[in-house]
């Protein structure tokens, strides 16, 4: 009798959830017909915060753009209250442009004669406090810690005295001059002020009460982004990952050969916890491609390599984690190896499931789901680009084979998603026996209607343009366009909603 059997009655395994019906919700920054995409507007990072009420994107121009959820506010109450009603099931989540700021600027390293791009590689939300939003953003070399909060705009009103009594209007001054002219020489040689009565009236206690001091008012508010910390000069190679720790105090940053541990409050010091750099660089066989903290265990983190392996490390074992506690990799049969084997095996992204039990990895051809308690192989493998295997030579020639696609999991862990070419993204069911396999084209949205645009901002991000519409159906065109690719996407932490980036446009889908 299995653990699920009761009184000799065999338990029936739970059936996998039904496939979701995905619908288009919103698009920000969509191009008009014939409009050319500017390189600086291409989105390079995307991230929901823990509540799902805020979404951040970074672009190649070094800007960070924030979006805020509005449908819960417009209908009153918190999301938890709304979840008790039919509202979340009958209406899609809706976001609006909130603010943007210039996070990074292009730099030049004169010592190494190296140009440092302003492109945002990763964004990670930190814990909120006192209504302020905190997040980390990084380019190739420098990490910045930002605080975004509403500030009241102070204006000075009532700058002068009563206009009827103001010197600037000439009333008091003129009365003083007239008072002098009214002075006359009396017969006994004494001067008498004929207008003393009027002067006393002008400067009486009642007149002094009419003097109004400047008043500072703050009726309007404005969002202000302020850089709290700059974490620099700690990486010799390009930073590919940053990840917050569950302790709320530390985070890691990873480049090709090292992983550093930082304290959020200390910007001039970090600890090197992983170093895979060999004594002789000619002996280098693999590099670090992605790193992430465990969502609940502050001592555990995982990092992936260009050889297709994932290493789980425990910081309690040693200060320098040069030995892993677990290794996850899938060996390919020797007969199937080719020139492209190691290239397509390189893992471009890893994500922990929300409960920390599973790790999702994305290489060029597949998505793989790993159970951290089982290192013999992945528990599920999802074929994403298997149909491209005969074209690997062409993909190598045009460098598409080196594209780095991201991956994400739903909050309940029942589904996984990743992007592909022609602005396609795929959703797979990760539950046992699930056959869910949905492919959507983010940019194919007929019957759109234009809505009012956000006023132009000084940073002129293309994401200030918004389009919304209802559901859609996709065509059957399977011709791939390798110049358009959906590399970045994120799953809402508590709902079946996906935000994905195609070039300079941010597309929102829900189910």
């Amino acid at each position: 009798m299995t653990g699920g059997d009761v009184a000799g009655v065999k338990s029936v395994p739970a059936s996998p959830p039904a496939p979701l019906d995905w619908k288009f919700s919103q698009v920000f920054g969509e191009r008009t017909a014939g409009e050319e995409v500017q390189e600086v507007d291409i989105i390079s990072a995307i991230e929901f915060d823990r509540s799902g009420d805020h979404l951040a994107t970074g672009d190649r121009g070094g800007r960070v753009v924030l979006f805020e959820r509005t449908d819960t506010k417009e209908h009153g109450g918190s999301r938890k209250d709304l979840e008790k009603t039919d509202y979340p099931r009958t209406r899609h989540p809706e976001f609006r442009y909130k603010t943007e700021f210039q996070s990074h600027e292009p730099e030049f390293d004169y010592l190494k004669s190296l140009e440092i791009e302003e492109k945002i590689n990763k964004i990670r939300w930190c814990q909120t406090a006192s209504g302020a939003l905190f997040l980390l953003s990084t380019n190739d070399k420098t990490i910045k810690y930002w605080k975004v909060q509403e500030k009241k705009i102070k204006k000075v009103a009532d700058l002068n005295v009563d206009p009827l009594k103001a010197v600037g209007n000439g009333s008091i001054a003129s009365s003083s001059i007239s008072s002098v002219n009214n002075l006359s020489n009396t017969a006994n040689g004494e001067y008498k002020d004929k207008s003393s009565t009027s002067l006393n009236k002008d400067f009486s206690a009642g007149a002094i009460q009419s003097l109004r001091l400047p008043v500072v008012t703050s009726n309007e508010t404005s969002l202000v982004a302020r850089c709290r910390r700059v974490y620099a000069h700690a990486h010799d190679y390009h930073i590919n990952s940053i990840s917050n720790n569950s302790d709320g105090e530390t985070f890691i940053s990873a480049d090709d050969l090292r992983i550093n541990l930082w304290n959020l409050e200390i910007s001039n010091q970090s600890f090197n916890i992983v170093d895979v750099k060999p004594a002789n660089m000619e002996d280098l066989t693999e590099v670090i491609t992605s790193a992430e903290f465990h969502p609940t265990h502050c001592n555990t983190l995982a990092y992936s390599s260009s050889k297709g392996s994932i290493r789980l490390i425990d910081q309690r074992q040693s200060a320098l984690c040069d030995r892993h506690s677990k290794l996850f990799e899938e060996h390919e049969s020797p007969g199937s190896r080719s020139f492209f084997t190691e290239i397509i095996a390189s893992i471009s992204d890893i994500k922990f499931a929300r409960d920390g039990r599973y790790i999702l990895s994305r290489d060029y051809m597949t998505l793989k789901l790993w159970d951290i308690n089982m290192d013999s192989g992945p528990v599920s493998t999802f074929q994403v680009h298997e149909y491209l295997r005969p074209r690997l030579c062409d993909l190598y020639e045009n460098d598409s084979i080196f594209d780095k696609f991201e991956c994400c999991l739903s909050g309940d862990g029942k589904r996984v998603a990743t992007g592909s070419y022609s602005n396609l993204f795929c959703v797979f069911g990760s539950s046992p026996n699930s056959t869910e396999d949905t492919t959507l084209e983010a940019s194919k949205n007929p019957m759109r209607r234009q809505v009012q645009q956000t006023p132009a901002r000084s940073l002129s991000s293309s994401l200030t343009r918004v389009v919304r519409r209802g559901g859609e159906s996709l065509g059957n065109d399977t011709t791939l366009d390798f110049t358009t690719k959906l590399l970045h996407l994120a799953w809402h932490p508590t709902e079946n909603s996906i935000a994905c980036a195609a070039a300079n446009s941010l597309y929102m889908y829900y189910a």
Side-chain angles (χ1 to χ4, degrees):
M1 186 172 70
T2 63
D5 298 341
V6 178
V9 179
K10 203 167 189 177
S11 60
V12 179
S15 58
L20 296 177
D21 179 22
W22 290 94
K23 296 182 177 65
F24 172 80
S25 172
Q26 291 173 275
V27 58
F28 295 87
E30 189 186 36
R31 288 170 289 168
T32 57
E35 181 182 358
E36 185 178 353
V37 177
Q38 299 296 319
E39 182 77 12
V40 294
D41 286 335
I42 295 178
I43 299 173
S44 56
I46 182 169
E47 184 83 1
F48 279 105
D49 71 349
R50 292 183 64 183
S51 68
D53 289 337
H54 294 93
L55 176 67
T57 65
D59 62 27
R60 295 187 182 181
R63 294 178 299 245
V64 172
V65 184
L66 304 184
F67 300 89
E68 181 180 35
R69 186 166 181 175
T70 59
D71 54 306
T72 54
K73 290 185 177 181
E74 291 172 357
H75 290 75
S78 65
R79 192 190 310 103
K80 289 184 178 179
D81 296 332
L82 292 170
E83 285 173 353
K84 299 175 184 177
T85 69
D86 291 335
Y87 167 69
R89 293 190 292 271
T90 59
R91 183 178 173 86
H92 64 81
E94 191 164 326
F95 285 79
R96 70 178 176 189
Y97 171 92
K98 185 178 179 72
T99 188
E100 65 182 278
F101 55 90
Q102 190 71 35
S103 175
H104 287 72
E105 300 280 358
E107 302 175 46
F108 188 82
D109 188 337
Y110 292 97
L111 294 177
K112 299 180 179 179
S113 296
L114 180 68
E115 290 185 2
I116 303 174
E117 288 184 314
E118 66 271 35
K119 171 192 167 189
I120 304 298
N121 290 342
K122 293 289 180 182
I123 294 174
R124 290 292 181 264
W125 290 91
C126 304
Q127 295 179 348
T128 59
S130 304
L133 304 174
F134 296 87
L135 51 88
L136 291 167
S137 63
T138 183
N139 65 352
D140 287 340
K141 296 291 184 181
T142 305
I143 307 161
K144 293 185 178 182
Y145 182 44
W146 292 91
K147 178 181 180 180
V148 182
Q149 66 178 153
E150 287 189 348
K151 290 279 190 180
K152 290 187 176 180
I153 302 175
K154 295 182 179 180
K155 294 184 178 179
V156 179
D158 299 336
L159 288 174
N160 220 327
V161 296
D162 190 333
L164 298 177
K165 302 293 183 180
V167 174
N169 294 336
S171 59
I172 294 179
S174 59
S175 69
S176 299
I177 295 173
S178 63
S179 299
V180 175
N181 292 333
N182 287 333
L183 291 176
S184 61
N185 195 343
T186 59
N188 59 7
E190 295 179 354
Y191 287 99
K192 183 177 180 182
D193 184 0
K194 296 180 180 180
S195 63
S196 60
T197 304
S198 62
L199 278 174
N200 291 336
K201 183 178 180 182
D202 283 342
F203 292 98
S204 64
I208 295 299
Q209 289 177 0
S210 68
L211 177 66
R212 297 196 299 273
L213 296 175
V215 177
V216 178
T217 60
S218 55
N219 296 327
E220 300 179 12
T221 60
S222 175
L223 280 168
V224 178
R226 186 165 65 92
C227 184
R228 295 281 305 275
R229 304 275 191 279
V230 177
Y231 314 90
H233 312 299
H235 288 277
D236 293 329
Y237 305 94
H238 291 176
I239 298 172
N240 56 50
S241 303
I242 52 175
S243 179
N244 302 93
N245 198 347
S246 58
D247 62 11
E249 298 178 358
T250 58
F251 70 94
I252 55 171
S253 59
D255 64 20
D256 290 344
L257 299 179
R258 293 187 175 95
I259 299 178
N260 293 332
L261 177 68
W262 301 83
N263 187 299
L264 281 169
E265 301 299 323
I266 303 172
S267 60
N268 60 356
Q269 185 181 34
S270 65
F271 298 95
N272 178 226
I273 58 174
V274 175
D275 189 349
V276 300
K277 184 178 181 180
N280 185 352
M281 285 295 285
E282 293 181 357
D283 298 330
L284 183 67
T285 59
E286 61 181 336
V287 297
I288 298 169
T289 57
S290 182
E292 182 161 317
F293 260 119
H294 191 282
T296 57
H297 298 163
C298 61
N299 58 282
T300 304
L301 60 100
Y303 70 91
S304 59
S305 81
S306 57
K307 275 196 167 182
S309 61
I310 301 172
R311 290 173 173 84
L312 198 67
I313 61 176
D314 190 338
Q315 296 181 84
R316 296 173 298 183
Q317 293 180 348
S318 62
L320 180 61
C321 304
D322 51 356
R323 294 184 179 180
H324 53 266
S325 57
K326 286 189 179 180
L327 175 65
F328 306 94
E329 60 182 352
E330 187 176 32
H331 297 286
E332 198 163 354
S333 57
S336 61
R337 292 186 63 85
S338 69
F339 172 79
F340 306 108
T341 298
E342 288 195 8
I343 300 176
I344 63 176
S346 178
I347 295 175
S348 56
D349 189 29
I350 60 170
K351 291 287 193 312
F352 272 101
R354 195 173 185 182
D355 60 2
R357 172 71 181 272
Y358 297 94
I359 299 175
L360 180 67
S361 67
R362 170 69 203 267
D363 56 45
Y364 188 74
M365 304 296 287
T366 64
L367 269 177
K368 293 176 181 175
L369 191 65
W370 308 80
D371 187 334
I372 64 171
N373 296 327
M374 187 180 75
D375 54 6
S376 58
V379 293
S380 298
T381 300
F382 309 95
Q383 301 295 337
V384 181
H385 284 164
E386 184 60 31
Y387 56 90
L388 294 178
R389 195 173 291 275
R391 305 180 62 179
L392 290 180
C393 187
D394 296 333
L395 295 167
Y396 179 78
E397 290 293 331
N398 61 22
D399 287 341
S400 294
I401 200 171
F402 300 105
D403 288 331
K404 300 183 184 301
F405 293 93
E406 293 181 357
C407 59
C408 59
L409 300 94
S410 61
D412 57 12
K414 295 180 180 178
R415 293 171 180 87
V416 298
T418 191
S420 182
Y421 295 105
S422 297
N423 292 336
L424 300 175
F425 68 97
C426 311
V427 180
F428 302 95
S430 59
S431 303
N433 304 321
S434 175
T435 59
E436 184 172 356
D437 181 354
T438 305
T439 301
L440 297 164
E441 183 178 353
S443 55
K444 191 172 184 180
N445 300 298
M447 299 171 58
R448 282 188 177 147
R449 61 183 181 87
Q450 191 78 24
V451 298
Q452 184 177 1
Q453 297 181 1
T454 306
R457 303 280 174 159
S458 59
L459 298 177
S460 66
S461 168
S462 66
L463 289 176
T464 58
R465 300 192 298 272
V466 187
V467 181
R468 298 185 181 90
R469 69 162 193 81
E472 70 168 287
S473 60
L474 295 174
N476 296 320
D477 185 12
T478 58
T479 304
L480 290 180
D481 178 7
F482 293 107
T483 62
T484 58
K485 58 197 75 173
L486 198 151
L487 300 176
H488 313 284
L489 75 170
W491 202 301
H492 191 284
T494 59
E495 298 177 6
N496 287 321
S497 176
I498 292 178
C500 50
N504 66 319
S505 301
L506 176 67
Y507 295 91
M508 311 287 289
Y509 276 78
Y510 73 103

